[in-house]
Amino acid sequence: MRPLQPVGNTTRILLGISFFVLFFAAWAVATLGGYVPKIFLADPITMVKDGWLLLTKFGFAHDIAITIWRVVGGFVLAAIVAVPLGILMGAYKPIEAFFEPFVSFARYLPASAFVPLLILWAGIGEKQKLAVIFVGSVFQIVLMVAVAVGQTRRDLVEAAYTLGSGDGGVVRRVMIPMNAPEIAEILRLVLGWAWTYVIVAEFIGSSAGIGHMIIDSQALMATGQIIFGIIVIGIIGLVSDFAFKLVNRWLFPWRLA
């Protein structure tokens, strides 16, 4: 191993798998060996059995689908608003000066703090869940996109002006194409944060979803079900992360150059 020395894809996959193997082995030793009481932490075998029961008898697949829909819906709404605004803030300094103080202020406000207000405004239905994800995601995306667009190479902008492009053309043909891969990467990162917001939203006033199942399991002290729900979230997040990377590589092949 040397600093910044890359590793092959096969080695990377094997190292990643080895961590999970060691993690589950340590978990099994701690629980099955009696070092940790099962009431506080279920063992892997109990977790798998509880998860199977959830999927086959208690309709947990429906809860998973509901949660995925909420995440995608709230995140897409946030991206539709935040990406254009972030591009405008990065490209035009007066717009940045107008919005940046509020956006910087709002992005530090935890989305969970808005849950009581959003329940009052939108009830406990789907609108409230989508609103929590929207509030938690939109300000992060706006500021990160604005920073990325604002760092566009000046020589490319000047070259576009020299070739006769107008202000709008510079934004459309230089700033957006150059920063599109970075914007896609920003969306991938914020999508991971959206999962934390949806679980918080489902903890309160929800009749379906992974968060709802976790709260019900906590009342029953069913730690196996809780752990299974957490692992399902991690698996879905991992799959969506890899899918996002593959789509980004397909859409923006020049980023690899």
Side-chain angles (χ1 to χ4, degrees):
M1 268 193 317
R2 301 180 65 184
L4 300 181
Q5 183 178 10
V7 297
N9 289 332
T10 302
T11 303
R12 181 179 294 276
I13 293 172
L14 290 176
L15 288 173
I17 293 174
S18 65
F19 174 84
F20 284 102
V21 171
L22 291 174
F23 176 81
F24 277 93
W27 176 17
V29 170
T31 52
L32 295 175
Y35 297 103
V36 179
K38 289 187 177 181
I39 193 173
F40 295 116
L41 182 65
D43 60 81
I45 297 174
T46 301
M47 182 272 297
V48 172
K49 290 180 179 178
D50 288 350
W52 180 252
L53 286 175
L54 286 172
L55 291 170
T56 56
K57 292 188 177 182
F58 297 105
F60 186 51
H62 174 70
D63 289 322
I64 296 173
I66 288 293
T67 298
I68 292 175
W69 180 87
R70 288 167 177 165
V71 170
V72 173
F75 179 76
V76 169
L77 290 174
I80 290 174
V81 173
V83 171
L85 180 57
I87 291 173
L88 290 175
M89 287 175 60
Y92 299 100
K93 296 307 178 182
I95 297 178
E96 180 186 45
F98 181 77
F99 283 107
E100 196 272 336
F102 172 73
V103 173
S104 296
F105 162 78
R107 77 186 184 96
Y108 284 104
L109 303 178
S112 56
F114 287 92
V115 170
L117 277 177
L118 293 175
I119 290 176
L120 289 175
W121 296 341
I124 59 174
E126 296 304 309
K127 291 181 181 178
Q128 179 257 338
K129 310 298 186 298
L130 297 176
V132 171
I133 299 168
F134 178 87
V135 170
S137 304
V138 66
F139 300 111
Q140 311 292 340
I141 297 174
V142 167
L143 199 59
M144 295 171 73
V145 170
V147 170
V149 174
Q151 294 176 345
T152 302
R153 286 171 49 186
R154 195 71 186 176
D155 59 328
L156 296 179
V157 174
E158 296 297 335
Y161 279 125
T162 301
L163 294 173
S165 180
D167 294 339
V170 169
V171 175
R172 293 192 307 271
R173 299 179 181 180
V174 178
M175 289 185 165
I176 292 178
M178 178 183 176
N179 295 287
E182 183 66 22
I183 293 172
E185 188 69 9
I186 289 168
L187 294 176
R188 181 181 72 85
L189 294 175
V190 178
L191 178 61
W193 302 346
W195 275 96
T196 64
Y197 307 138
V198 72
I199 299 303
V200 170
E202 290 178 347
F203 279 168
I204 302 174
S206 181
S207 60
I210 298 176
H212 168 71
M213 184 280 294
I214 290 176
I215 284 295
D216 284 353
S217 300
Q218 184 266 337
L220 300 172
M221 301 187 71
T223 57
Q225 295 180 11
I226 296 173
I227 296 170
F228 183 77
I230 294 171
I231 290 177
V232 167
I233 294 171
I235 292 173
I236 296 172
L238 191 64
V239 171
S240 64
D241 195 67
F242 277 112
F244 228 116
K245 287 181 179 179
L246 290 175
V247 172
N248 289 352
R249 290 174 183 172
W250 175 67
L251 290 175
F252 313 114
W254 65 87
R255 186 171 186 261
L256 303 177

